[in-house]
Amino acid sequence: YSDPDNVRLANRVAKHMTGFFLFLEVDGLDATNNRAERQLRPAVVTRKISCGSRTGNGAERHSIIASVLATARQLGHDFCLMVVEALLSFGQPVLAHEHFPANPPLPWARAPIVAT
């Protein structure tokens, strides 16, 4: 604890200790963030090739579009159809449950306990 970096590391480990081994308790939960890193990679490559996000606003817009695209892909929705529906319904009240399931099945979610 004589080095400030060691103190910072010890505090971080203590703060996040409960999440380090959660993958041992929850079936289907990955032990690493490799999947998330792989999902981010195409957006990073696109940004570098197009010389995009030279401004904070550009970076924010790019990250939002990439996030919505990834979410649509994970939920099995057609991204282009989602965009068209959003544009057609612009200014109209839209209920989220009309487009997305209220409780999408998550691979790590445990089955609900039902009293019989």
Side-chain angles (χ1 to χ4, degrees), residues 1 4-22:
Y1 285 95
D5 288 338
N6 291 341
V7 173
R8 191 173 63 242
L9 177 62
N11 288 336
R12 187 174 183 92
V13 167
K15 180 179 179 182
H16 298 286
M17 182 58 82
T18 58
F20 286 151
F21 299 103
L22 191 60

PDB file of all heavy atoms in Angstrom, residues 1 4-22:
ATOM      1  N   TYR A   1       0.807  -1.207   0.000  1.00  0.00           N
ATOM      2  CA  TYR A   1       0.000   0.000   0.000  1.00  0.00           C
ATOM      3  C   TYR A   1       0.845   1.264   0.000  1.00  0.00           C
ATOM      4  O   TYR A   1       0.327   2.352   0.150  1.00  0.00           O
ATOM      5  CB  TYR A   1      -0.945   0.012   1.192  1.00  0.00           C
ATOM      6  CG  TYR A   1      -2.115  -0.932   1.027  1.00  0.00           C
ATOM      7  CD1 TYR A   1      -2.084  -2.215   1.536  1.00  0.00           C
ATOM      8  CD2 TYR A   1      -3.244  -0.526   0.349  1.00  0.00           C
ATOM      9  CE1 TYR A   1      -3.162  -3.069   1.382  1.00  0.00           C
ATOM     10  CE2 TYR A   1      -4.327  -1.368   0.174  1.00  0.00           C
ATOM     11  CZ  TYR A   1      -4.277  -2.639   0.700  1.00  0.00           C
ATOM     12  OH  TYR A   1      -5.352  -3.473   0.550  1.00  0.00           O
ATOM     13  N   PRO A   4       0.679   4.481  -4.675  1.00  0.00           N
ATOM     14  CA  PRO A   4      -0.706   4.865  -4.969  1.00  0.00           C
ATOM     15  C   PRO A   4      -1.383   3.971  -6.005  1.00  0.00           C
ATOM     16  O   PRO A   4      -2.592   3.729  -5.936  1.00  0.00           O
ATOM     17  CB  PRO A   4      -0.586   6.292  -5.504  1.00  0.00           C
ATOM     18  CG  PRO A   4       0.735   6.784  -5.037  1.00  0.00           C
ATOM     19  CD  PRO A   4       1.612   5.582  -4.867  1.00  0.00           C
ATOM     20  N   ASP A   5      -0.615   3.453  -6.954  1.00  0.00           N
ATOM     21  CA  ASP A   5      -1.195   2.540  -7.952  1.00  0.00           C
ATOM     22  C   ASP A   5      -1.690   1.255  -7.296  1.00  0.00           C
ATOM     23  O   ASP A   5      -2.726   0.707  -7.681  1.00  0.00           O
ATOM     24  CB  ASP A   5      -0.168   2.210  -9.040  1.00  0.00           C
ATOM     25  CG  ASP A   5       0.106   3.377  -9.964  1.00  0.00           C
ATOM     26  OD1 ASP A   5      -0.759   4.285 -10.061  1.00  0.00           O
ATOM     27  OD2 ASP A   5       1.177   3.396 -10.599  1.00  0.00           O
ATOM     28  N   ASN A   6      -0.943   0.756  -6.310  1.00  0.00           N
ATOM     29  CA  ASN A   6      -1.365  -0.457  -5.606  1.00  0.00           C
ATOM     30  C   ASN A   6      -2.628  -0.208  -4.798  1.00  0.00           C
ATOM     31  O   ASN A   6      -3.511  -1.064  -4.725  1.00  0.00           O
ATOM     32  CB  ASN A   6      -0.252  -0.958  -4.685  1.00  0.00           C
ATOM     33  CG  ASN A   6       0.929  -1.499  -5.459  1.00  0.00           C
ATOM     34  OD1 ASN A   6       0.812  -1.820  -6.630  1.00  0.00           O
ATOM     35  ND2 ASN A   6       2.070  -1.569  -4.806  1.00  0.00           N
ATOM     36  N   VAL A   7      -2.730   0.957  -4.187  1.00  0.00           N
ATOM     37  CA  VAL A   7      -3.925   1.308  -3.422  1.00  0.00           C
ATOM     38  C   VAL A   7      -5.128   1.382  -4.349  1.00  0.00           C
ATOM     39  O   VAL A   7      -6.203   0.860  -4.047  1.00  0.00           O
ATOM     40  CB  VAL A   7      -3.723   2.651  -2.675  1.00  0.00           C
ATOM     41  CG1 VAL A   7      -5.022   3.107  -2.020  1.00  0.00           C
ATOM     42  CG2 VAL A   7      -2.609   2.526  -1.648  1.00  0.00           C
ATOM     43  N   ARG A   8      -4.941   2.011  -5.516  1.00  0.00           N
ATOM     44  CA  ARG A   8      -6.037   2.125  -6.488  1.00  0.00           C
ATOM     45  C   ARG A   8      -6.473   0.740  -6.967  1.00  0.00           C
ATOM     46  O   ARG A   8      -7.669   0.456  -7.083  1.00  0.00           O
ATOM     47  CB  ARG A   8      -5.591   3.012  -7.656  1.00  0.00           C
ATOM     48  CG  ARG A   8      -6.748   3.398  -8.558  1.00  0.00           C
ATOM     49  CD  ARG A   8      -6.366   4.420  -9.621  1.00  0.00           C
ATOM     50  NE  ARG A   8      -5.373   3.896 -10.532  1.00  0.00           N
ATOM     51  CZ  ARG A   8      -4.143   4.412 -10.696  1.00  0.00           C
ATOM     52  NH1 ARG A   8      -3.762   5.476 -10.043  1.00  0.00           N
ATOM     53  NH2 ARG A   8      -3.299   3.864 -11.546  1.00  0.00           N
ATOM     54  N   LEU A   9      -5.515  -0.133  -7.249  1.00  0.00           N
ATOM     55  CA  LEU A   9      -5.840  -1.493  -7.690  1.00  0.00           C
ATOM     56  C   LEU A   9      -6.581  -2.254  -6.592  1.00  0.00           C
ATOM     57  O   LEU A   9      -7.590  -2.921  -6.860  1.00  0.00           O
ATOM     58  CB  LEU A   9      -4.563  -2.248  -8.093  1.00  0.00           C
ATOM     59  CG  LEU A   9      -4.755  -3.707  -8.495  1.00  0.00           C
ATOM     60  CD1 LEU A   9      -5.654  -3.815  -9.721  1.00  0.00           C
ATOM     61  CD2 LEU A   9      -3.416  -4.372  -8.747  1.00  0.00           C
ATOM     62  N   ALA A  10      -6.112  -2.159  -5.359  1.00  0.00           N
ATOM     63  CA  ALA A  10      -6.763  -2.858  -4.245  1.00  0.00           C
ATOM     64  C   ALA A  10      -8.197  -2.360  -4.058  1.00  0.00           C
ATOM     65  O   ALA A  10      -9.114  -3.162  -3.824  1.00  0.00           O
ATOM     66  CB  ALA A  10      -5.963  -2.658  -2.964  1.00  0.00           C
ATOM     67  N   ASN A  11      -8.399  -1.062  -4.171  1.00  0.00           N
ATOM     68  CA  ASN A  11      -9.756  -0.512  -4.038  1.00  0.00           C
ATOM     69  C   ASN A  11     -10.662  -0.999  -5.158  1.00  0.00           C
ATOM     70  O   ASN A  11     -11.826  -1.324  -4.940  1.00  0.00           O
ATOM     71  CB  ASN A  11      -9.714   1.015  -4.022  1.00  0.00           C
ATOM     72  CG  ASN A  11      -9.143   1.565  -2.741  1.00  0.00           C
ATOM     73  OD1 ASN A  11      -9.169   0.907  -1.709  1.00  0.00           O
ATOM     74  ND2 ASN A  11      -8.589   2.763  -2.806  1.00  0.00           N
ATOM     75  N   ARG A  12     -10.118  -1.069  -6.368  1.00  0.00           N
ATOM     76  CA  ARG A  12     -10.916  -1.522  -7.511  1.00  0.00           C
ATOM     77  C   ARG A  12     -11.297  -2.992  -7.361  1.00  0.00           C
ATOM     78  O   ARG A  12     -12.429  -3.383  -7.639  1.00  0.00           O
ATOM     79  CB  ARG A  12     -10.135  -1.287  -8.807  1.00  0.00           C
ATOM     80  CG  ARG A  12     -10.933  -1.566 -10.043  1.00  0.00           C
ATOM     81  CD  ARG A  12     -10.127  -1.153 -11.277  1.00  0.00           C
ATOM     82  NE  ARG A  12     -10.878  -1.333 -12.476  1.00  0.00           N
ATOM     83  CZ  ARG A  12     -11.624  -0.392 -13.037  1.00  0.00           C
ATOM     84  NH1 ARG A  12     -11.707   0.793 -12.493  1.00  0.00           N
ATOM     85  NH2 ARG A  12     -12.280  -0.637 -14.139  1.00  0.00           N
ATOM     86  N   VAL A  13     -10.336  -3.807  -6.918  1.00  0.00           N
ATOM     87  CA  VAL A  13     -10.607  -5.235  -6.711  1.00  0.00           C
ATOM     88  C   VAL A  13     -11.678  -5.406  -5.640  1.00  0.00           C
ATOM     89  O   VAL A  13     -12.623  -6.190  -5.797  1.00  0.00           O
ATOM     90  CB  VAL A  13      -9.317  -5.994  -6.337  1.00  0.00           C
ATOM     91  CG1 VAL A  13      -9.632  -7.393  -5.821  1.00  0.00           C
ATOM     92  CG2 VAL A  13      -8.378  -6.075  -7.538  1.00  0.00           C
ATOM     93  N   ALA A  14     -11.563  -4.654  -4.537  1.00  0.00           N
ATOM     94  CA  ALA A  14     -12.552  -4.761  -3.463  1.00  0.00           C
ATOM     95  C   ALA A  14     -13.935  -4.341  -3.948  1.00  0.00           C
ATOM     96  O   ALA A  14     -14.937  -4.976  -3.615  1.00  0.00           O
ATOM     97  CB  ALA A  14     -12.121  -3.893  -2.276  1.00  0.00           C
ATOM     98  N   LYS A  15     -13.999  -3.304  -4.764  1.00  0.00           N
ATOM     99  CA  LYS A  15     -15.282  -2.790  -5.251  1.00  0.00           C
ATOM    100  C   LYS A  15     -15.982  -3.789  -6.173  1.00  0.00           C
ATOM    101  O   LYS A  15     -17.196  -3.939  -6.150  1.00  0.00           O
ATOM    102  CB  LYS A  15     -15.066  -1.475  -5.991  1.00  0.00           C
ATOM    103  CG  LYS A  15     -16.323  -0.855  -6.545  1.00  0.00           C
ATOM    104  CD  LYS A  15     -16.024   0.457  -7.240  1.00  0.00           C
ATOM    105  CE  LYS A  15     -17.281   1.078  -7.814  1.00  0.00           C
ATOM    106  NZ  LYS A  15     -16.980   2.329  -8.532  1.00  0.00           N
ATOM    107  N   HIS A  16     -15.225  -4.495  -7.010  1.00  0.00           N
ATOM    108  CA  HIS A  16     -15.807  -5.366  -8.028  1.00  0.00           C
ATOM    109  C   HIS A  16     -15.675  -6.860  -7.710  1.00  0.00           C
ATOM    110  O   HIS A  16     -15.944  -7.694  -8.575  1.00  0.00           O
ATOM    111  CB  HIS A  16     -15.163  -5.075  -9.387  1.00  0.00           C
ATOM    112  CG  HIS A  16     -15.395  -3.682  -9.861  1.00  0.00           C
ATOM    113  ND1 HIS A  16     -16.609  -3.254 -10.350  1.00  0.00           N
ATOM    114  CD2 HIS A  16     -14.572  -2.599  -9.909  1.00  0.00           C
ATOM    115  CE1 HIS A  16     -16.529  -1.985 -10.679  1.00  0.00           C
ATOM    116  NE2 HIS A  16     -15.305  -1.553 -10.419  1.00  0.00           N
ATOM    117  N   MET A  17     -15.287  -7.208  -6.496  1.00  0.00           N
ATOM    118  CA  MET A  17     -15.035  -8.605  -6.135  1.00  0.00           C
ATOM    119  C   MET A  17     -16.230  -9.508  -6.400  1.00  0.00           C
ATOM    120  O   MET A  17     -16.079 -10.628  -6.874  1.00  0.00           O
ATOM    121  CB  MET A  17     -14.623  -8.697  -4.661  1.00  0.00           C
ATOM    122  CG  MET A  17     -14.290 -10.107  -4.220  1.00  0.00           C
ATOM    123  SD  MET A  17     -12.964 -10.863  -5.182  1.00  0.00           S
ATOM    124  CE  MET A  17     -11.556 -10.174  -4.373  1.00  0.00           C
ATOM    125  N   THR A  18     -17.437  -9.038  -6.133  1.00  0.00           N
ATOM    126  CA  THR A  18     -18.612  -9.907  -6.293  1.00  0.00           C
ATOM    127  C   THR A  18     -18.864 -10.284  -7.747  1.00  0.00           C
ATOM    128  O   THR A  18     -19.485 -11.302  -8.014  1.00  0.00           O
ATOM    129  CB  THR A  18     -19.876  -9.230  -5.732  1.00  0.00           C
ATOM    130  OG1 THR A  18     -20.065  -7.990  -6.401  1.00  0.00           O
ATOM    131  CG2 THR A  18     -19.757  -9.003  -4.234  1.00  0.00           C
ATOM    132  N   GLY A  19     -18.372  -9.502  -8.695  1.00  0.00           N
ATOM    133  CA  GLY A  19     -18.610  -9.790 -10.098  1.00  0.00           C
ATOM    134  C   GLY A  19     -17.528 -10.611 -10.771  1.00  0.00           C
ATOM    135  O   GLY A  19     -17.729 -11.116 -11.868  1.00  0.00           O
ATOM    136  N   PHE A  20     -16.386 -10.771 -10.123  1.00  0.00           N
ATOM    137  CA  PHE A  20     -15.264 -11.465 -10.769  1.00  0.00           C
ATOM    138  C   PHE A  20     -15.571 -12.913 -11.115  1.00  0.00           C
ATOM    139  O   PHE A  20     -15.154 -13.411 -12.152  1.00  0.00           O
ATOM    140  CB  PHE A  20     -14.006 -11.416  -9.904  1.00  0.00           C
ATOM    141  CG  PHE A  20     -13.329 -10.078  -9.882  1.00  0.00           C
ATOM    142  CD1 PHE A  20     -12.608  -9.674  -8.790  1.00  0.00           C
ATOM    143  CD2 PHE A  20     -13.413  -9.215 -10.960  1.00  0.00           C
ATOM    144  CE1 PHE A  20     -11.975  -8.442  -8.765  1.00  0.00           C
ATOM    145  CE2 PHE A  20     -12.792  -7.987 -10.955  1.00  0.00           C
ATOM    146  CZ  PHE A  20     -12.068  -7.598  -9.845  1.00  0.00           C
ATOM    147  N   PHE A  21     -16.264 -13.610 -10.266  1.00  0.00           N
ATOM    148  CA  PHE A  21     -16.496 -15.040 -10.475  1.00  0.00           C
ATOM    149  C   PHE A  21     -17.964 -15.374 -10.663  1.00  0.00           C
ATOM    150  O   PHE A  21     -18.379 -16.513 -10.480  1.00  0.00           O
ATOM    151  CB  PHE A  21     -15.895 -15.840  -9.310  1.00  0.00           C
ATOM    152  CG  PHE A  21     -14.410 -15.640  -9.182  1.00  0.00           C
ATOM    153  CD1 PHE A  21     -13.891 -14.816  -8.206  1.00  0.00           C
ATOM    154  CD2 PHE A  21     -13.545 -16.233 -10.089  1.00  0.00           C
ATOM    155  CE1 PHE A  21     -12.528 -14.608  -8.098  1.00  0.00           C
ATOM    156  CE2 PHE A  21     -12.184 -16.039  -9.997  1.00  0.00           C
ATOM    157  CZ  PHE A  21     -11.662 -15.217  -9.007  1.00  0.00           C
ATOM    158  N   LEU A  22     -18.746 -14.392 -11.071  1.00  0.00           N
ATOM    159  CA  LEU A  22     -20.166 -14.599 -11.299  1.00  0.00           C
ATOM    160  C   LEU A  22     -20.415 -15.663 -12.367  1.00  0.00           C
ATOM    161  O   LEU A  22     -21.381 -16.412 -12.298  1.00  0.00           O
ATOM    162  CB  LEU A  22     -20.822 -13.281 -11.705  1.00  0.00           C
ATOM    163  CG  LEU A  22     -22.336 -13.243 -11.725  1.00  0.00           C
ATOM    164  CD1 LEU A  22     -22.901 -13.557 -10.343  1.00  0.00           C
ATOM    165  CD2 LEU A  22     -22.812 -11.873 -12.170  1.00  0.00           C
TER     166      LEU A  22
END
